[in-house]
Amino acid sequence: MPSPVVLGIESSCDETGAGLVRDGRLLGHALASSMDQHARYGGVVPEIAARAHVHALLPVVHRALDDAGLGTADIGAVAVTTGPGLSGALQVGLAGAKSLAYALGVPLHGVHHLAGHVAADTLEHGPLPDPCVVLIVSGGHTSLLLVRDLARDPIVHLGDTVDDAAGECFDKVARVFGLPYPGGPAIDRAARAGDPRAVPFPRPLTSGDPRTRYAFSFSGLKTAAARWAERERAAGRELPLADGAASLQEAVADVLTRKAVAACTAHGVGTLVVVGGVAANSRVRALAEERCAAAGITLRVPPLRLCTDNGAMIAAVGDLLVRAGAAPAPADVSIDPSAPLEYAALHPVASGAGRAA
């Protein structure tokens, strides 16, 4: 018998996503974004995001069902992001998921948002090797993980960001450079005409100190880029935007890929998986390919449509949990906006107990 169709719902930030997965295969998905509403503020406004999710959630679910050629009666389980993310945004998704699961009489699974990014790659390349090293790079998170069975085993953190994440660095520097929000794609576009060696931006935490071997820090790089722009303007020169963007992007890509390949080598792991919104960056992808090829490491990166937040990745985790026989979430499952990544399943309750399952 085939596994049930799993509906995944994602609403942790400014994108409302729904996806349908069965037996590791993506059947259909849909996405709505409120990014344009946030652009004039230079970042996500939580209240605007939450209101946008209220309006978009059901239409997105129906569009995903239409994309898959399915109806609500075909849904056999519901998975939803329960953290981390914006509190109001998460509450909208959870309320919708609970209502659907209750109305359909199917189990509900709470999912950690970052585990969703990891699982997104399985929709393109199949099951994850056991073990593999995963580099998660997004607007709020930069982590190196050792992953075994995503549905059953604890996730081992090799290193995390100690301050700004890579995507946050891109967003903040883009604003200083006069580029639009979101900063990552804007930096990537501007960098195409620039010289990545033009500005000697620092490579944070790459001095060889074993205590920070796999840790990340992009706050100092952000500040260095801002000071460079200030000096150029103070000298009365037009900001060499393309060179600055290319040099910044090179510094970020260098640090990310250098540490990720080193982690694979040190742990004897033959596969590196790069996921998250910044995995869509052209230089990160290219340098990862180059360094993995030189080290004899297999590189897996999801297609661009699955790098940013989406419902398909949450459905992918739900599908893995269902096939692993994981217990569904309790009736009083809540949200945890700052949940650490320990397991793929995330079943917090209002008291704070039951964080991971």
Side-chain angles (χ1 to χ4, degrees):
M1 291 291 293
S3 299
V5 173
V6 179
L7 167 68
I9 294 175
E10 156 62 23
S11 69
S12 65
C13 192
D14 59 342
E15 280 146 343
T16 312
L20 295 141
V21 172
R22 179 169 58 194
D23 287 329
R25 186 168 68 91
L26 178 59
L27 306 177
H29 71 117
L31 191 69
S33 176
S34 59
M35 187 177 295
D36 289 346
Q37 299 176 52
H38 305 285
R40 69 184 209 170
Y41 301 103
V44 176
V45 180
E47 180 63 22
I48 292 175
R51 289 178 181 272
H53 288 308
V54 170
H55 292 292
L57 184 60
L58 282 180
V60 163
V61 169
H62 287 301
R63 280 168 43 207
L65 286 166
D66 289 343
D67 187 43
L70 299 173
T72 53
D74 296 306
I75 297 171
V78 178
V80 62
T81 303
T82 47
L86 303 174
S87 179
L90 290 167
Q91 291 283 15
V92 174
L94 179 59
K98 279 186 173 182
S99 299
L100 283 167
Y102 179 78
L104 296 171
V106 300
L108 175 70
H109 292 269
V111 169
H112 196 290
H113 174 78
L114 297 182
H117 278 302
V118 179
D121 183 71
T122 67
L123 299 175
E124 182 72 12
H125 299 118
L128 294 170
D130 179 3
C132 62
V133 168
V134 177
L135 173 64
I136 296 181
V137 209
S138 67
H141 304 274
T142 304
S143 298
L144 263 177
L145 312 171
L146 184 64
V147 176
R148 295 190 178 278
D149 186 320
L150 185 61
R152 295 182 174 89
D153 294 335
I155 295 165
V156 178
H157 288 246
L158 303 177
D160 298 283
T161 186
V162 298
D163 43 52
D164 288 358
E168 187 178 1
C169 174
F170 279 146
D171 284 341
K172 291 179 177 178
V173 174
R175 192 167 187 172
V176 172
F177 283 4
L179 293 171
Y181 175 84
I187 291 285
D188 202 350
R189 289 191 297 269
R192 293 170 189 166
D195 178 2
R197 298 173 298 276
V199 186
F201 287 137
R203 271 57 170 171
L205 301 186
T206 56
S207 63
D209 186 339
R211 294 171 298 178
T212 58
R213 181 178 301 160
Y214 304 127
F216 299 96
S217 168
F218 293 103
S219 179
L221 175 59
K222 171 198 68 180
T223 302
R227 298 293 86 80
W228 168 79
E230 289 174 1
R231 289 193 299 270
E232 292 293 315
R233 289 170 174 143
R237 295 188 290 266
E238 182 179 352
L239 188 68
L241 181 59
D243 285 347
S247 298
L248 175 73
Q249 184 172 259
E250 186 69 19
V252 171
D254 181 21
V255 172
L256 292 174
T257 58
R258 187 190 309 188
K259 288 176 178 280
V261 170
C264 289
T265 302
H267 288 83
V269 174
T271 301
L272 171 65
V273 185
V274 183
V275 298
V278 180
N281 179 272
S282 62
R283 185 54 183 156
V284 171
R285 294 169 83 97
L287 193 54
E289 288 176 5
E290 176 185 322
R291 287 181 165 168
C292 283
I297 296 167
T298 299
L299 174 67
R300 293 176 35 157
V301 187
L304 297 181
R305 74 183 190 281
L306 295 178
C307 285
T308 53
D309 295 350
N310 60 84
M313 69 187 198
I314 303 305
V317 178
D319 176 62
L320 289 172
L321 293 172
V322 167
R323 287 191 282 150
D332 59 346
V333 64
S334 185
I335 63 166
D336 186 346
S338 58
L341 178 56
E342 298 170 344
Y343 289 88
L346 181 66
H347 296 164
V349 293
S351 66
R355 164 165 286 174

